[in-house]
Amino acid sequence: MAGDKMGDNTNGVLCLSNTDDFRKKLISRINRIAGQLRGIERMILNHVKCDEILNQVSSVKSALNGVAKVVLEAHLKNCVVHDIKAGLEEEATSELILTLNTLIEKKGKKINESNNSIIRKIEQQIETMRKSIEKDDCCSSVLRDISIIKGELDSMTRVILEGHVKNCLVRDIKAGLEEKTIDDFLYTINKMVK
């Protein structure tokens, strides 16, 4: 909401809908995402095939995109409409553009972290997002949280993908399994770039 840079909801508009049921459903979705993340961690610890782990990371990103769409819709219907009607169209549109740019921006930073470290950061961000929803902070802050989590998932994907290419792909091709290996790899990549 314009004027709501820190998410303090000072204009009296409920950013994330005016019902507790809406927030409960949103938190339930976030809890499922947190569960999926714990599943990925178990897969990594149990040395599950990289393709399967990457598919699960894609599923988490897809689930986050679903939450982002719901929150963005609530933001548009509640915050942006309210602010524009209140004569704050410049602030509302500027913040919306900033939020959208943050949400869709892809960062190609070099990764020096382990997957466990990345998972811990994502868990902390999920908890931050859950608390924001529970206290009805501005939906822009929830969308920024989603963007940060997606960036960390992209980092995890790059770490896993690099290891997969250098180890699994090479090993399986050397073992004469190139057709299945390439098919599996392309299937995984196609899911990742949706």
Side-chain angles (χ1 to χ4, degrees), residues 127-140:
E127 186 58 30
T128 299
M129 183 170 46
R130 186 182 295 123
K131 288 177 181 175
S132 292
I133 292 168
E134 286 173 348
K135 58 183 191 175
D136 197 34
D137 280 348
C138 183
C139 35
S140 294

Side-chain angles (χ1 to χ4, degrees), residues 9 12 16 20 30 38 47 49 53 58 68 70-71 96 115 121 142 147 157 169 179 189:
N9 194 4
L16 294 174
D20 286 334
I30 290 167
R38 288 187 296 276
H47 304 285
K49 286 179 58 180
I53 296 169
S58 291
V70 169
V71 172
L96 180 59
N115 282 324
K121 287 170 65 175
V142 175
S147 176
T157 297
L169 200 69
E179 191 170 322
I189 296 300

Side-chain angles (χ1 to χ4, degrees), residues 43-59:
M43 292 172 81
I44 291 168
L45 293 172
N46 292 326
H47 304 285
V48 172
K49 286 179 58 180
C50 299
D51 287 343
E52 293 178 33
I53 296 169
L54 291 168
N55 286 329
Q56 285 304 309
V57 171
S58 291
S59 294

Side-chain angles (χ1 to χ4, degrees), residues 79 84 89:
C79 305
I84 289 173
E89 59 273 353

Side-chain angles (χ1 to χ4, degrees), residues 30-96:
I30 290 167
N31 289 340
R32 279 194 301 276
I33 291 168
Q36 287 177 293
L37 184 63
R38 288 187 296 276
I40 291 170
E41 183 174 29
R42 284 189 301 275
M43 292 172 81
I44 291 168
L45 293 172
N46 292 326
H47 304 285
V48 172
K49 286 179 58 180
C50 299
D51 287 343
E52 293 178 33
I53 296 169
L54 291 168
N55 286 329
Q56 285 304 309
V57 171
S58 291
S59 294
V60 171
K61 287 172 60 177
S62 178
L64 280 167
N65 285 336
V67 171
K69 289 174 190 175
V70 169
V71 172
L72 184 59
E73 181 180 352
H75 181 61
L76 290 168
K77 287 181 176 178
N78 298 315
C79 305
V80 175
V81 167
H82 174 270
D83 289 350
I84 289 173
K85 287 182 176 181
L88 302 169
E89 59 273 353
E90 180 64 34
E91 295 91 339
T93 56
S94 294
E95 183 181 344
L96 180 59

Side-chain angles (χ1 to χ4, degrees), residues 94-145:
S94 294
E95 183 181 344
L96 180 59
I97 290 167
L98 178 67
T99 299
L100 291 172
N101 285 336
T102 301
L103 192 59
I104 62 175
E105 181 178 290
K106 296 228 182 221
K107 295 177 174 83
K109 63 182 180 177
K110 180 88 173 131
I111 309 303
N112 295 323
E113 296 180 84
S114 70
N115 282 324
N116 286 338
S117 172
I118 294 169
I119 288 172
R120 296 290 92 64
K121 287 170 65 175
I122 293 170
E123 287 174 335
Q124 290 172 349
Q125 200 63 44
I126 286 173
E127 186 58 30
T128 299
M129 183 170 46
R130 186 182 295 123
K131 288 177 181 175
S132 292
I133 292 168
E134 286 173 348
K135 58 183 191 175
D136 197 34
D137 280 348
C138 183
C139 35
S140 294
S141 65
V142 175
L143 291 169
R144 281 189 291 273
D145 292 338

Side-chain angles (χ1 to χ4, degrees), residues 169 171-185:
L169 200 69
R171 178 199 66 220
D172 292 348
I173 289 173
K174 283 182 175 180
L177 303 170
E178 60 269 0
E179 191 170 322
K180 180 177 179 349
T181 300
I182 290 170
D183 286 347
D184 288 348
F185 186 71

